[in-house]
Amino acid sequence: MLKKVLLFGLGGAVVLTVGILLGHFGIKDDSSSSECAQEAARDVDENFVTQFIEEVAAIQIEENLRTLTRVPHMATTAGDEATVKYMLSRWQDPDNGLDDAWREEYKVYLSFPNETVPNKVTVVSSSGSVLFTGTEKEKPYGPEQEDEAVVQPYAAYGPPGHAKGKLVYANEGKVSDYEYLNKTMNLAGTIAIVKYGGAGRAAKAINGALFGVAGVLVYTEPRDINDGKMSDSSETYPHSWYLPPTGVERGSFNTHFGDMLTPYLAAKEDTYRIPEADITGIPPIPIQPIGFQDAYELICELDGPGAPEAWQGAFNCTYNVGGPGFKSTSKFNSSDVQLDIYNWAELRNSSNVMGIIRGSVEPDRYVIYGNHRDSWVHGAIDPSSGTAVMLEITRVLGKMVKAGKDCGQMMRKWRPPEEFGLIGSTEYAEEYQSKLRQRTVAYINVDISVFGEHLLLCSCFRRSVKTPASDLSVYDNWIRYFNRTSPTHGLIPQVPYLTGAGSDYAPFMHFLGITSMDISYTYDRSKTKARIYPAYHTAYDTFDYSSKYIDPGFTSHQTVARVAGNVLLRLADSLLLPFSCSDYAESLEQYLSTAVESFNEKLAQHGISMVPLKDAVTKFRTAADGFNGRIESADLAKESPLKVRGINDQLMLLDRAFLDPLAFPEKISYRHVIWASRSSSVATFPGLADAFEQAEKTNLKQDWDQVHKQLSIVTQAIEGAAHTLEEVI
């Protein structure tokens, strides 16, 4: 291998679906007409890759997962510390371990429920009688749910407090949902019940507080997660993969990623910390997640007019919006819903587990492979499916390295804590940002490696890996289920963009501008409408659940390991990095087309021209084509190492050219003007889309000025990136 490989153990999940392609990983296969792809693969030892693929064993991954999920391992708990030691023991094994492995400590701000005084949701009559008490623990169907270390459902970073008021149903807790209710009722002092989806966890409370809502309940709607199934006697787990009625989705209820007291600084012992009162992006009012069994009891008793059809769900009643409050005929008539929340927060020591395979030719170039280690409960799928895959990849690579196989670039792997808001990866990126920006080729993320058994979403460079259930290659199976027509390549796999902060790729892509990808195996979405696997972040995400309903035989996990390792080896060993700046140009052209179609007419009315943006994208396309032409006309195997390294540096640094630290001042750590998160539903340049949405809503001059500013920011970023692809002078 040419480069160093870094393996991180931040928190705990390996990627399942090959699906989110950031930056400019190219989608290449053996039939590709791209000379660049052929050049890139020329020095890869195909026998080495084949040997790696053949040695990856499903039974080893199964045993890894069984070990990783024996006890709950929420960040900084005893179970988490046991996982840290287990990772280190595996990576320091003299027979198949890595070249080196160690732990790095951070002191981070975490939120927990009170172990002795549980959070409560009650319905209280006008006389003070308690008419209903919400379920405090998920119903046990096996020993896993009865483990004393199972954390009670809570909203991490939700504030402690007591809120009481009339109940209203506010759909998904979006601003538009609260606006709809506010037209016909006074929301001040009410308790809103909302379902997951549509808006971020924290946003559901942040938005409600703008309208005077006193507290929020969040539940998982069975229509969205269970295809309407609700009975645990025959329909849900343990009889199928569907979520049981008392299952509660936990989560981190914050908007920003990383340690909240040390933005832009690594959270070390002596780091400056902002006052807790200055934290932004967390719920300002009490909020608590509940199961759909409790939500059914509350929603079906609500008074008021029926909610819009799009707000209706699977319960066998009409979803009313509330009077506010309950029906006069209800057993809860004239009663209030009360939230008693006892969450607390403190600074705790948390570890990243690091491992490396040193490169021989370019050890100062890093290929980073990571996933988080921690889970909310047992976390068999999120994140331990990723961890189990990572351990098998490192076992096989470690064995081959010990046998004398060489790595060119340094491979680095790591396992950080993530569930509380990508903390491990962000603190690592903040501490080592200078080195990582200069030396990192790419970051491969492996959080949830297997959601189901049907489709691997990834950036596949060759057709050398087969799907578990057929003779189809992963590449061909991907096209079968999830495809698009490219003007350049024809029918190819559809690759979503990494535009948010869903996992540990966020600080690498959005903060450092490192080309990144996220890999997972997912389910056939034509057969279910589940927004994610139903046991997500609940006490039912266990080895039993995974082995019975997600991946019996663990062949999908095996396929993920083979694909991820394949990508890892090609990134490390290729003479020319397997990135395609022409594919990047195609993505920019798609974004431009959407932006022109959506914004051009209205912008012209305000004297704002999109011509400079069009010209910038054209300039980028010209530069990309010229860059590819120079590569295709060169015999890189005979060129000087310095020339090849120069070309690879242009490829490696391309994403960095799109960073602007001043583009999104309200979004901590978001700097990438192409792939930053956006609130707008228009899939185009995020700053422009969000600014346009705001200006169209208010029609204020200062908001249209912001549209013009964002247009200029993205235009000049694209022009600057185009310059980096020009011939070096």
Side-chain angles (χ1 to χ4, degrees), residues 255 257 418 422 499-503 505-506 510 670 677:
T255 303
F257 56 87
E418 175 254 32
L422 315 181
T499 56
S503 193
Y505 55 77
H510 299 308
Y670 283 98
S677 65

Side-chain angles (χ1 to χ4, degrees), residues 106-128:
Y106 296 96
K107 195 162 191 173
V108 298
Y109 181 75
L110 302 181
S111 167
F112 302 95
N114 190 310
E115 292 183 5
T116 58
V117 185
N119 296 339
K120 281 184 180 265
V121 176
T122 54
V123 175
V124 183
S125 71
S126 56
S127 64

Side-chain angles (χ1 to χ4, degrees), residues 26-77:
I27 304 174
K28 305 299 180 189
D29 65 86
D30 286 338
S31 65
S32 171
S33 61
S34 169
E35 295 293 332
C36 299
Q38 295 168 19
E39 289 284 355
R42 238 182 2 198
D43 63 320
V44 175
D45 185 341
E46 295 299 336
N47 290 330
F48 184 85
V49 174
T50 299
Q51 182 182 347
F52 169 84
I53 290 172
E54 290 176 349
E55 292 208 16
V56 170
I59 192 170
Q60 293 283 353
I61 298 172
E62 180 178 2
E63 288 310 307
N64 291 343
L65 189 65
R66 193 190 306 274
T67 300
L68 289 164
T69 58
R70 281 178 181 156
V71 297
H73 47 284
M74 192 167 71
T76 73
T77 64

Side-chain angles (χ1 to χ4, degrees), residues 404-435:
K405 299 294 185 180
D406 184 38
C407 298
Q409 295 191 23
M410 177 176 282
M411 294 186 183
R412 197 173 272 244
K413 295 199 176 187
W414 111 96
R415 307 255 330 128
E418 175 254 32
E419 290 294 7
F420 284 90
L422 315 181
I423 288 177
S425 53
T426 303
E427 301 319 301
Y428 176 81
E430 289 172 342
E431 181 173 11
Y432 296 103
Q433 57 180 294
S434 298
K435 180 169 69 172

Side-chain angles (χ1 to χ4, degrees), residues 31 194 224 233 236 256 350 354 410 434 477 501 628 658 682 711:
S31 65
V194 302
D224 301 337
S233 64
T236 68
H256 310 305
S350 183
M354 316 291 297
M410 177 176 282
S434 298
N477 194 57
N628 285 345
F658 291 101
V682 181
L711 183 64

Side-chain angles (χ1 to χ4, degrees), residues 454-679:
H454 290 88
L455 172 63
L456 185 72
L457 299 178
C458 72
S459 176
C460 308
F461 298 93
R462 312 285 280 184
R463 289 181 175 172
S464 52
V465 180
K466 300 296 184 182
T467 57
S470 73
D471 242 3
L472 281 177
S473 69
V474 165
Y475 185 92
D476 291 331
N477 194 57
W478 188 3
I479 290 179
R480 176 184 175 188
Y481 283 97
F482 200 49
N483 61 65
R484 72 177 180 88
T485 301
S486 161
T488 306
H489 305 293
L491 192 68
I492 62 171
Q494 173 71 45
V495 183
Y497 300 130
L498 293 178
T499 56
S503 193
D504 288 294
Y505 55 77
F508 293 95
M509 189 63 205
H510 299 308
F511 181 55
L512 298 179
I514 293 168
T515 301
S516 304
M517 69 183 298
D518 187 29
I519 307 176
S520 12
Y521 221 104
T522 193
Y523 44 87
D524 184 350
R525 295 178 187 270
S526 69
K527 297 180 179 178
T528 176
K529 294 181 180 178
R531 58 180 172 83
I532 196 169
Y533 71 95
Y536 176 68
H537 285 190
T538 74
Y540 306 110
D541 186 355
T542 62
F543 180 85
D544 178 73
Y545 180 87
S546 178
S547 61
K548 287 181 178 177
Y549 302 117
I550 298 298
D551 187 21
F554 290 84
T555 53
S556 294
H557 285 77
Q558 181 185 40
T559 302
V560 172
R562 287 172 169 172
V563 170
N566 192 359
V567 172
L568 186 69
L569 291 172
R570 295 182 188 284
L571 284 169
D573 274 359
S574 294
L575 177 64
L576 185 70
L577 290 176
F579 295 166
S580 172
C581 47
S582 293
D583 289 348
Y584 213 133
E586 186 174 304
S587 296
L588 295 178
E589 288 162 352
Q590 290 175 337
Y591 264 23
L592 174 65
S593 176
T594 300
V596 170
E597 181 181 347
S598 304
F599 308 146
N600 191 54
E601 183 177 347
K602 186 62 72 71
L603 290 180
Q605 294 173 9
H606 289 270
I608 303 172
S609 173
M610 296 192 75
V611 171
L613 179 60
K614 297 176 184 178
D615 291 344
V617 173
T618 299
K619 183 180 293 186
F620 187 93
R621 165 60 76 179
T622 301
D625 290 345
F627 181 79
N628 285 345
R630 291 192 296 278
I631 293 174
E632 291 173 5
S633 63
D635 187 350
L636 295 181
K638 296 180 180 179
E639 293 286 356
S640 73
L642 284 178
K643 181 170 182 178
V644 176
R645 176 148 170 143
I647 293 172
N648 279 334
D649 281 352
Q650 286 177 282
L651 289 167
M652 180 182 78
L653 297 174
L654 178 58
D655 261 309
R656 270 71 134 192
F658 291 101
L659 296 183
D660 185 338
L662 302 179
F664 313 109
E666 75 288 355
K667 294 181 179 180
I668 295 175
S669 296
Y670 283 98
R671 299 179 175 186
H672 202 298
V673 302
I674 308 299
W675 309 124
S677 65
R678 56 179 165 77
S679 57

Side-chain angles (χ1 to χ4, degrees), residues 245-518:
T246 61
V248 181
E249 179 183 324
R250 299 151 180 81
S252 183
F253 284 64
N254 57 346
T255 303
H256 310 305
F257 56 87
D259 180 66
M260 289 185 286
L261 295 181
T262 59
Y264 301 112
L265 297 170
K268 309 298 281 189
E269 180 77 30
D270 57 354
T271 302
Y272 166 76
R273 287 171 168 79
I274 66 172
E276 289 184 41
D278 292 347
I279 294 174
T280 60
I282 60 175
I285 55 178
I287 183 168
Q288 174 70 14
I290 62 175
F292 66 77
Q293 175 176 283
D294 289 345
Y296 174 86
E297 290 289 329
L298 298 173
I299 288 176
C300 288
E301 298 294 329
L302 280 173
D303 197 6
E309 179 59 32
W311 294 23
Q312 298 296 318
F315 300 154
N316 60 349
C317 66
T318 298
Y319 288 42
N320 296 329
V321 297
F326 300 108
K327 303 171 186 174
S328 60
T329 56
S330 168
K331 57 187 175 183
F332 301 146
N333 177 36
S334 300
S335 299
D336 292 328
V337 171
Q338 181 166 321
L339 278 65
D340 296 297
I341 308 301
Y342 301 96
N343 298 343
W344 59 287
E346 68 171 359
L347 293 176
R348 285 195 180 181
N349 291 323
S350 183
S351 301
N352 283 351
V353 182
M354 316 291 297
I356 62 170
I357 299 174
R358 292 186 176 90
S360 61
V361 179
E362 292 183 284
D364 63 332
R365 287 292 180 261
Y366 305 156
V367 178
I368 303 178
Y369 181 103
N371 83 282
H372 74 96
R373 178 191 67 248
D374 63 315
S375 64
W376 286 109
V377 193
H378 291 84
I381 299 162
D382 182 11
S384 298
S385 64
T387 309
V389 165
M390 174 185 273
L391 284 172
E392 177 60 1
I393 290 173
T394 57
R395 181 191 70 82
V396 176
L397 283 179
K399 179 181 176 182
M400 295 172 78
V401 168
K402 292 290 192 294
K405 299 294 185 180
D406 184 38
C407 298
Q409 295 191 23
M410 177 176 282
M411 294 186 183
R412 197 173 272 244
K413 295 199 176 187
W414 111 96
R415 307 255 330 128
E418 175 254 32
E419 290 294 7
F420 284 90
L422 315 181
I423 288 177
S425 53
T426 303
E427 301 319 301
Y428 176 81
E430 289 172 342
E431 181 173 11
Y432 296 103
Q433 57 180 294
S434 298
K435 180 169 69 172
L436 294 174
R437 270 199 303 260
Q438 293 174 14
R439 302 179 183 178
T440 305
V441 171
Y443 173 70
I444 303 170
N445 193 62
V446 283
D447 190 340
I448 301 174
S449 60
V450 181
F451 291 95
E453 302 179 77
H454 290 88
L455 172 63
L456 185 72
L457 299 178
C458 72
S459 176
C460 308
F461 298 93
R462 312 285 280 184
R463 289 181 175 172
S464 52
V465 180
K466 300 296 184 182
T467 57
S470 73
D471 242 3
L472 281 177
S473 69
V474 165
Y475 185 92
D476 291 331
N477 194 57
W478 188 3
I479 290 179
R480 176 184 175 188
Y481 283 97
F482 200 49
N483 61 65
R484 72 177 180 88
T485 301
S486 161
T488 306
H489 305 293
L491 192 68
I492 62 171
Q494 173 71 45
V495 183
Y497 300 130
L498 293 178
T499 56
S503 193
D504 288 294
Y505 55 77
F508 293 95
M509 189 63 205
H510 299 308
F511 181 55
L512 298 179
I514 293 168
T515 301
S516 304
M517 69 183 298
D518 187 29

